[in-house]
Amino acid sequence: MYKKITLLLLLPLFMCSSLDLFAQEEDDEIDQQIPNNVRDSDKRWKWERAFIGGDVGAYFGNETYIDLSPSFGYFVHDRVAVGLGAIYQYYRFSDKPAKFLFKTSTYGGRVFARGYILEQLFTHAEFELLNLGVLDPATYEELRRENVKSLPVGIGYAQRFGSYSAFNIMLLYDVLQSEFSPYGNRAIIRMGFGIGL
């Protein structure tokens, strides 16, 4: 199971590395002309390759939903980004005539990898671990809390507004399909942003 998860998270890396195969020989020739101390400095951490962002969403009324999921990422290559994030979701449903009120919170974390096929088109894979409430289908009361693993993978579109900043929209599918997965057997549409530091 964990080998499959690792493979799916690395999938964007493999896809993008194949795009650079033809340019590798040229890069090697250029590298031979660059002094070692300059070449080594290119491998060091660069803050301009880091970005912060995440997903934010909300709606209000009889049903209230709030999603605050910050993330931190880093472009390890011009076409490959990796990162991690926290997840917090709040859901509340009230029916005043029936004097019914239900509320719950979901929280957890994720690690992700993203590979850019084109400047604006990318593949995305992430592993999430969520702690969420399991409901009694008859009474809609929370029976207990469960830790649930999910593995959303898919494609995305980035509307860039800087070298490492973008507004992203993704179409994902949870391939693990755990028993209590909040995604179910359906597509996940996610919108978020990343702002370069």
Side-chain angles (χ1 to χ4, degrees):
M1 174 63 76
Y2 291 105
K3 287 182 181 177
K4 289 180 183 177
I5 291 170
T6 304
L7 179 63
L8 285 169
L9 283 173
L10 293 176
L11 182 63
L13 301 173
F14 295 138
M15 290 181 71
C16 289
S17 64
S18 65
L19 296 173
D20 292 329
L21 285 178
F22 297 108
Q24 189 63 47
E25 286 181 23
E26 247 178 67
D27 290 346
D28 288 344
E29 289 175 17
I30 293 169
D31 279 348
Q32 289 171 1
Q33 300 167 12
I34 299 173
N36 284 338
N37 61 336
V38 175
R39 197 161 53 235
D40 290 343
S41 70
D42 287 343
K43 297 175 184 175
R44 293 185 188 142
W45 177 275
K46 294 182 179 179
W47 278 107
E48 62 268 19
R49 287 182 166 267
F51 61 91
I52 57 170
D55 308 322
V56 177
Y59 56 81
F60 303 94
N62 286 346
E63 286 186 82
T64 299
Y65 172 78
I66 300 171
D67 179 7
L68 299 171
S69 301
S71 62
F72 175 82
Y74 187 79
F75 277 85
V76 294
H77 182 276
D78 286 340
R79 291 183 177 268
V80 180
V82 295
L84 52 88
I87 300 167
Y88 176 76
Q89 297 166 344
Y90 172 80
Y91 178 78
R92 180 180 184 273
F93 176 76
S94 66
D95 185 348
K96 289 182 181 175
K99 297 182 180 178
F100 175 77
L101 174 66
F102 169 75
K103 55 186 177 180
T104 187
S105 293
T106 298
Y107 47 87
R110 65 167 59 109
V111 292
F112 66 86
R114 191 175 294 162
Y116 287 80
I117 301 167
L118 302 171
E119 185 178 348
Q120 294 176 312
L121 183 68
F122 60 87
T123 60
H124 180 93
E126 64 184 56
F127 176 74
E128 292 181 345
L129 181 61
L130 300 174
N131 182 275
L132 50 80
V134 176
L135 302 183
D136 180 338
T139 63
Y140 289 99
E141 291 181 4
E142 188 172 285
L143 296 175
R144 64 185 184 281
R145 297 196 66 86
E146 289 277 346
N147 290 321
V148 178
K149 297 171 188 169
S150 60
L151 187 62
V153 299
I155 59 170
Y157 175 81
Q159 181 61 55
R160 292 187 179 274
F161 51 91
S163 297
Y164 300 110
S165 300
F167 170 78
N168 302 309
I169 184 165
M170 294 181 280
L171 180 63
L172 308 172
Y173 181 78
D174 178 16
V175 297
L176 285 187
Q177 290 295 305
S178 301
E179 182 182 358
F180 300 112
S181 171
Y183 304 117
N185 188 18
R186 61 183 181 271
I188 307 160
I189 297 173
R190 184 181 295 163
M191 290 181 282
F193 62 94
I195 299 173
L197 299 179

